[in-house]
Amino acid sequence: MQKSDNNIPAAVLRHPFLMRALAYAPIVLASCCFFPLRFPARYLDGMILLLLLITACNLGNLLACLYGRGKLAAVYLRLLAFTALGLACRFLLEYGEVSNIYNFTPINTVIFLLLFPLGTAAAYLFFAVQRFPSADSIQ
């Protein structure tokens, strides 16, 4: 992919709305598919955690391209909103099933709503600093 002078891929500059849609759709999909993380810890699945970590890193890199540096609050609020949307989709997908009683416990829901957006926001911060070491933002 061809890059412009300020470390932003050309596709992001040409199609910012499409790129943002492509960034937010996987957040909803990941939170719908990877929930719940199964607490207490003896029920945690290592493969789910690994896939969630890889997804968070990739999304953080994409969000760093889209928003640049210095937009942590806006990025985190969007991550939280789209993660909650993914959980709502998961709830509606399994509506009326007994698994909703076991999956949507308060601790599972709160921990997932904390871990996934915080991990993705941390990845965003890392990649934003790497991509834009001296700039405050790209906008």
Side-chain angles (χ1 to χ4, degrees), residues 46-66:
M47 183 59 85
I48 295 293
L49 287 177
L50 179 66
L51 289 173
L52 196 61
L53 179 68
I54 291 169
T55 302
C57 288
N58 286 332
L59 289 172
N61 191 10
L62 181 58
L63 291 171
C65 286
L66 290 173

Side-chain angles (χ1 to χ4, degrees), residues 65-130:
C65 286
L66 290 173
Y67 293 105
R69 194 171 171 178
K71 306 277 186 186
L72 180 63
V75 167
Y76 180 74
L77 288 176
R78 286 181 178 108
L79 283 167
L80 191 60
F82 283 102
T83 302
L85 179 64
L87 291 182
C89 290
R90 172 71 179 251
F91 184 81
L92 290 175
L93 181 69
E94 296 182 351
Y95 185 75
E97 294 182 18
V98 176
S99 62
N100 267 352
I101 296 170
Y102 300 112
N103 291 339
F104 283 94
T105 62
I107 192 162
N108 279 344
T109 307
V110 168
I111 287 178
F112 193 85
L113 280 172
L114 287 176
L115 286 181
F116 186 59
L118 281 177
T120 308
Y124 157 77
L125 271 178
F126 174 78
F127 288 113
V129 168
Q130 294 296 317

